[in-house]
Every structure is written in structure tokens, then in C-alpha cells.
Amino acid sequence: MTPRTNARILTDTIADIFVREGFDGTSLNYLANQTGLGKASLYHHFPGGKREMAVAVYDRVSATFTREVLARLAGRGDLELRLTRMAQALDRFYDGGNRACLIDVFSIGGAREGFAEKLSEAVSYWVSSIARTLCEAGVEKATAQMRAEDVVISIEGALVVARATGNTEPFRRIIEAMPARLLGG
Amino acid sequence: MTPRTNARILTDTIADIFVREGFDGTSLNYLANQTGLGKASLYHHFPGGKREMAVAVYDRVSATFTREVLARLAGRGDLELRLTRMAQALDRFYDGGNRACLIDVFSIGGAREGFAEKLSEAVSYWVSSIARTLCEAGVEKATAQMRAEDVVISIEGALVVARATGNTEPFRRIIEAMPARLLGG
DNA sequence: AGTTGGAAACCGAACGTTCGTTTGAGTAGC
DNA sequence: GCTACTCAAACGAACGTTCGGTTTCCAACT
């Protein structure tokens, strides 16, 4: 019943590496070392090899994002509360700015092939989820779309800056200002 | 006198590839194909191999950025005009959102070693160049720093979104709104 | 309770390929 | 003839992948 290696934990470990090293920068030797498994064992769990691992990582991260972050938008409570909840969830999801975004990482180099469409949809889904929530609260459609785009852009940018400088303060500032920006502060 | 291969053009060609494929995703075979040179010829121009090529690319891109973009801040004319000039220069530099930023690309994977410090300084320099200009025009120091950070973050984020979705419209919107945002619109 | 069979999980070793790099021998231009 | 430049070919190392065989586990059957 209980496998020797938990598939979720294994995928999470691999995800950490892909996020840090990128698709092309991640080698199976390194994955084997970090997971404690032999390369052949990794192929047992992911017969499709490196690309299947990347797909599994993407699917898992994507599902986690939908469940942990976007779900806050549809929760109960007034709009401001839900937006604040989403901001907190984002802070957790990106580890306070220390964890890169797969949308960024997988849009560079060898991962683009096979992920281009998924990444595009991921951004659109994220943006429109926020925009729809704002619309339902009475914000005009075009305005909502623009604010949602701006916020998503800010987060992606703050993650890039955090990774490049090692300073997560701008990210935290963006996160904190997020609800007010979406409400039209 | 005139070398068979112009060093600047060669570096620009290599830069395009690094920017698209990332450091780890760029192979010397591909560089040789795209430049029309043999791998050994590339080693004649860059004896330090791939890493020296990356350093040359970074130095050239960085110098171009300082000359073409940041220099607009110190030009003549009132503040708003200079900020608009910088925005236009940014649009050109990033090819309307179609060209990735090296700060993003080189902060992932194998390029981090050896570039971490340079990337951090590049972001700081960019931010403080904008902030200083605002200060000289009378904006309070902390406010200027924050606005500058926000604008840099927006551009990096817009480039990520553009790359992931293939849609450069948000980037152009960010560019256009930039002067007003810095002026405190 | 003890044995057994087969699937799941795992591994070391090797596969062919591609990597970044080096060699050595050229050719073009001053 | 010297420097700058180019190339094809080969280097060892590392790549992603595959192979054959071992260990672990659990359900089913004595």
C-alpha cells in the first residue's frame, strides 16, 4: 500500500531543483543525488524521463497554486478580506520571495517546447481569476483586467528582483500593497 | 586592420542566443551554427570558453543598457521628458517586450555562479539611477526609491509575462505608464 | 503461522550521444 | 614571415537513457 518512496514528496523534491536550476540546468545525476534514488529508480517513477519529471512538477505546482492561492478568491467574506488572504497565500507559495516561479523558469531554453501553451494558459487563468473576482464586486471589466495584469506582473517582477539581488523586501512590499492596488487605492 | 569577424556583431549574435536559450540551454554547437564559425574559432575569440562568452555578452549588454537607457535620465529637458525618453529607450532595448532580460536569464541555473554579484549590482544601479533622478527633481528619498523599485519590478515582470504568453501588450502598457508612475500619478 | 509468487521499488553498470574543450594544421592579409 | 583567423577532428567528461538483476513488500495459499 505505502510505497517506499512517496510520489508527492519525490515530486516536490524534484520541483525544488527544477525551480532553482532551470530545466536545462537540472541533470539526472543531481536529481538522483538530491532524492537519494538511483537514476534508474527515477525512471521507474517517471518512465518518460526528464520531460515527464518536468510535466509532473508543473502539474503538481499548478494544482497547488490553484488550491492554495486562487481558491482564496472564491472564499467567503468581503472582497478586501479575500484579496488579503490571497496575498498571504502568495507569500507562502513563493516562500517570501525565495522561490522562483515556474512560469518564469520554464519559459527559458529547452523547456519552452512542450510548455509554451501551458505557461500561457497559466498566466491567463491567474489574471482572469483575479479580474473575475473584481468584476463580481462591481469593478468595471477593463479596469479589473488591467489591475489584475499589473498585480501578476508585479509579482513576477518582484520574484526576478529577489532572485537577482537576494533581497526579498521588495517582494514583501508588493505582496502587502496588493489588496489595495486591486481595490483601486 | 579589419578582422574577418567583427567582435561586436559576434557578441551580439551570441547574446541573442544566451537571452533566448539561457546559459545552460546554450550549447557551443548551436553557437557555432548560428555564428557561422567553427567551435575552435569561437575559442579563438573567447579563450575562456562558454563562461567568457557569457561574461562578454553580459558586459556588452550592460554597457548598451547604460548608454542607451540610463543615459536618458541625465539628459537635458524637464523630468517628464527625460522619463519618457527612458521609457522609449527601454521599449527599444527590450524589442517591445520580445527580448528577455539577462538579469532574469542569468539568475537561473549554472550562470548564477560568477554572475550573482554582477546581477545584484545591475539591479541596484538601475533602481538608484532612477531614484537619484527623482530626488534631484524634488521627490523625497524614500518615495523615489520605492517608485523606482516598483517600475523596475514592473518591467521585469512584464517581460516574464510577455515571454510566457507571447503577448507584448502588457509590456507596452507598462512602458507607457512608466513616466506617470514615477512622477506620482 | 509460515511459505510462496509476483508486482513494485530499487540499483550499479553500461549504452550511445552530446557536452565543452583542445589540438594541430591550415589560410588570409599585412 | 608574422599575426589574425579559421577549420576538421578528436578529447575526456557528463549527459539522458536503458538494461539486467536484486531487494522489498504484501496478498494469497497452505
Side-chain angles (χ1 to χ4, degrees), chain B residues 12-134:
Chain B
D12 283 342
T13 304
I14 297 175
D16 287 342
I17 298 169
F18 271 121
V19 157
R20 274 204 321 271
E21 306 295 333
F23 181 79
D24 296 310
T26 298
S27 75
L28 268 89
N29 275 313
Y30 189 60
L31 286 174
N33 285 342
Q34 295 298 305
T35 58
L37 292 178
K39 288 193 280 181
S41 298
L42 289 173
Y43 267 82
H44 171 74
H45 293 279
F46 307 98
K50 192 178 179 181
R51 295 205 88 90
E52 182 174 338
M53 297 180 206
V55 169
V57 162
Y58 175 84
D59 288 345
R60 176 145 173 78
V61 170
S62 179
T64 302
F65 187 80
T66 300
R67 173 169 34 84
E68 300 291 332
V69 178
L70 296 185
R72 314 285 165 170
L73 289 173
R76 298 159 200 253
D78 70 344
L79 182 60
E80 184 177 357
L81 179 66
R82 281 179 285 151
L83 294 179
T84 303
R85 290 267 158 80
M86 179 177 76
Q88 292 168 348
L90 277 169
D91 189 46
R92 262 177 270 126
F93 185 83
Y94 289 116
D95 191 20
N98 290 304
R99 188 185 173 87
C101 179
L102 269 187
I103 293 170
D104 181 355
V105 171
F106 275 7
S107 61
I108 298 174
R112 259 176 335 193
E113 283 182 29
F115 279 100
E117 201 173 354
K118 285 188 178 189
L119 297 180
S120 181
E121 286 169 3
V123 173
S124 299
Y125 184 58
W126 186 3
V127 169
S128 63
S129 294
I130 298 175
R132 194 182 330 113
T133 302
L134 295 182

Side-chain angles (χ1 to χ4, degrees), chain A residues 23-43:
Chain A
F23 180 79
D24 296 311
T26 298
S27 75
L28 269 88
N29 274 313
Y30 189 59
L31 286 174
N33 286 341
Q34 295 298 304
T35 58
L37 292 178
K39 286 193 280 183
S41 300
L42 288 173
Y43 267 81

Side-chain angles (χ1 to χ4, degrees), chain A residues 58 61-74 82-83 85-95 97 99-105 117-135 144-160 171 174-175 178-179 181-182, chain B residues 153 156-158 160-162 164-165:
Chain A
Y58 175 84
V61 169
S62 179
T64 302
F65 188 81
T66 300
R67 174 170 30 85
E68 300 291 333
V69 177
L70 296 185
R72 313 285 165 169
L73 289 172
R82 280 179 285 152
L83 295 178
R85 289 266 159 79
M86 180 179 75
Q88 293 169 347
L90 278 169
D91 189 47
R92 262 177 269 125
F93 184 82
Y94 289 115
D95 191 20
R99 187 185 174 85
C101 178
L102 268 188
I103 293 171
D104 181 356
V105 172
E117 201 174 352
K118 285 189 177 188
L119 298 180
S120 181
E121 286 170 4
V123 173
S124 300
Y125 185 58
W126 186 3
V127 169
S128 63
S129 293
I130 298 174
R132 192 182 332 112
T133 302
L134 295 182
C135 281
Q145 173 76 16
M146 231 185 57
R147 285 188 197 160
E149 262 180 26
D150 282 350
V151 158
V152 168
I153 284 173
S154 286
I155 287 169
E156 291 296 336
L159 289 171
V160 171
F171 175 79
I174 293 289
I175 289 285
M178 207 187 91
R181 283 179 67 182
L182 288 172
Chain B
I153 283 173
E156 292 295 335
V160 171
V161 167
T165 64

